[in-house]
């Protein structure tokens, strides 16, 4: 029994680690492989705005999805979206391809972050310890991601490695438990609707500032 529980914890631990890598790689790909393809400072600023604000805005989409999908399926969906974005960027390494990659990655990161935390709340016996351990793994994944650039050294190799990581994460996600998230009450729904409107307004203002200033 304890071995089975430990095995399940290792799965979600590894998912946190892999998620941190594939969430950080898009910015590295843009900076090191697209900087010499007529991408201006304003373009890079716009991409960073999408990366930063997109995660906050897209996190509000989790609550409508949790009514129709289990937490396990939302986690699987987050990695599948990344797979599509990286696969598209592999054949279209342009600024617009980068916009799609970073936007979809921000959406997938928001879905995974919210779903994984709720998954831990329903499966862990010590939530504080579990979250601390997973965030440590997340930080380790972010820290080692730049070294992958030196390891592969080319655009195609790094993107194909990212696709391999995503496929491995999807396989691990299928082994998670099925947990149905209960619907939120009206007060919470109104609160998140207000947050979504506010964050969207700030996001559009930042995009306008990045483009026109």
């Amino acid at each position: 029994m304890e071995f089975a529980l430990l095995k399940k914890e290792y799965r979600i631990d590894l998912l946190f680690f892999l998620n941190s890598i594939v969430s950080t790689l898009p910015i590295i790909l843009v900076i090191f492989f697209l900087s010499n393809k007529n991408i201006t400072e304003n373009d890079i600023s716009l991409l960073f705005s999408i990366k930063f604000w997109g995660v906050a805005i897209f996190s509000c989409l989790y609550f409508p999805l949790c009514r129709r999908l289990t937490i396990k399926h939302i986690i699987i969906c987050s990695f599948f979206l990344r797979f599509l974005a990286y696969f598209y960027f592999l054949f279209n390494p342009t600024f617009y391809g980068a916009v799609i990659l970073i936007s979809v990655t921000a959406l997938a990161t928001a879905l995974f972050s919210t779903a994984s935390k709720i998954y831990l709340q329903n499966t862990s016996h010590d939530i504080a310890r579990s979250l601390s351990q997973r965030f440590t793994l997340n930080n380790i994944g972010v820290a080692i991601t730049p070294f992958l650039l030196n390891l592969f050294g080319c655009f195609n190799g790094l993107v194909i490695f990212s696709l391999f990581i995503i496929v491995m994460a999807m396989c691990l996600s299928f082994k998670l438990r099925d947990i149905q998230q209960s619907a939120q009450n009206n007060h919470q729904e109104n609160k998140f609707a207000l947050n979504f409107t506010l964050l969207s307004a700030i996001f559009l203002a930042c995009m306008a500032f990045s483009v026109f200033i």
Side-chain angles (χ1 to χ4, degrees):
M1 184 70 178
E2 292 182 358
F3 176 76
L5 180 60
L6 188 61
K7 190 175 181 181
K8 292 178 181 178
E9 289 184 353
Y10 281 145
R11 288 172 186 163
I12 193 67
D13 286 347
L14 188 54
L15 283 176
F16 266 85
F17 179 72
L18 298 177
N19 172 74
S20 65
I21 294 177
V22 295
S23 297
T24 308
L25 276 175
I27 295 298
I28 295 177
L29 291 172
V30 169
I31 292 175
F32 289 97
F33 294 108
L34 294 185
S35 58
N36 58 349
K37 293 187 178 182
N38 299 323
I39 290 186
T40 65
E41 294 180 357
N42 286 340
D43 294 335
I44 295 178
S45 178
L46 175 62
L47 293 173
F48 272 88
S49 297
I50 294 173
K51 171 70 175 177
F52 180 78
W53 290 106
V55 174
I57 293 172
F58 290 140
S59 62
C60 299
L61 298 178
Y62 170 82
F63 296 96
L65 285 176
C66 72
R67 295 179 175 182
R68 299 170 176 83
L69 301 174
T70 63
I71 294 176
K72 171 183 174 179
H73 292 149
I74 292 176
I75 293 176
I76 294 172
C77 180
S78 71
F79 286 108
F80 180 70
L81 289 172
R82 285 191 182 96
F83 181 86
L84 295 178
Y86 273 95
F87 189 79
Y88 176 79
F89 190 63
L90 178 63
F91 296 98
N92 186 28
T94 62
F95 170 72
Y96 296 104
V99 170
I100 293 175
L101 174 65
I102 291 181
S103 299
V104 175
T105 301
L107 169 61
T109 301
L111 294 178
F112 176 84
S113 298
T114 308
S116 59
K117 291 174 185 176
I118 296 176
Y119 182 88
L120 287 177
Q121 292 175 359
N122 286 272
T123 58
S124 176
H125 298 288
D126 188 347
I127 297 177
R129 174 183 171 276
S130 296
L131 288 176
S132 176
Q133 181 176 336
R134 272 68 178 194
F135 286 139
T136 300
L137 290 170
N138 182 79
N139 291 334
I140 293 174
V142 172
I144 70 171
T145 301
F147 293 99
L148 296 176
L149 180 65
N150 296 327
L151 180 62
F152 291 94
C154 65
F155 172 80
N156 290 340
L158 193 55
V159 175
I160 291 174
F161 177 73
S162 302
L163 291 172
F164 172 76
I165 290 179
I166 294 170
V167 171
M168 183 168 57
M170 288 179 62
C171 294
L172 286 172
S173 301
F174 280 105
K175 298 292 184 179
L176 297 177
R177 289 171 49 188
D178 274 317
I179 298 176
Q180 183 68 47
Q181 174 69 10
S182 59
Q184 306 295 316
N185 57 42
N186 292 331
H187 173 72
Q188 289 176 315
E189 290 178 355
N190 293 334
K191 178 181 177 181
F192 283 106
L194 178 61
N195 289 341
F196 179 79
T197 303
L198 178 62
L199 288 172
S200 298
I202 296 175
F203 174 62
L204 293 175
C206 290
M207 288 183 62
F209 180 83
S210 300
V211 173
F212 298 108
I213 301 300

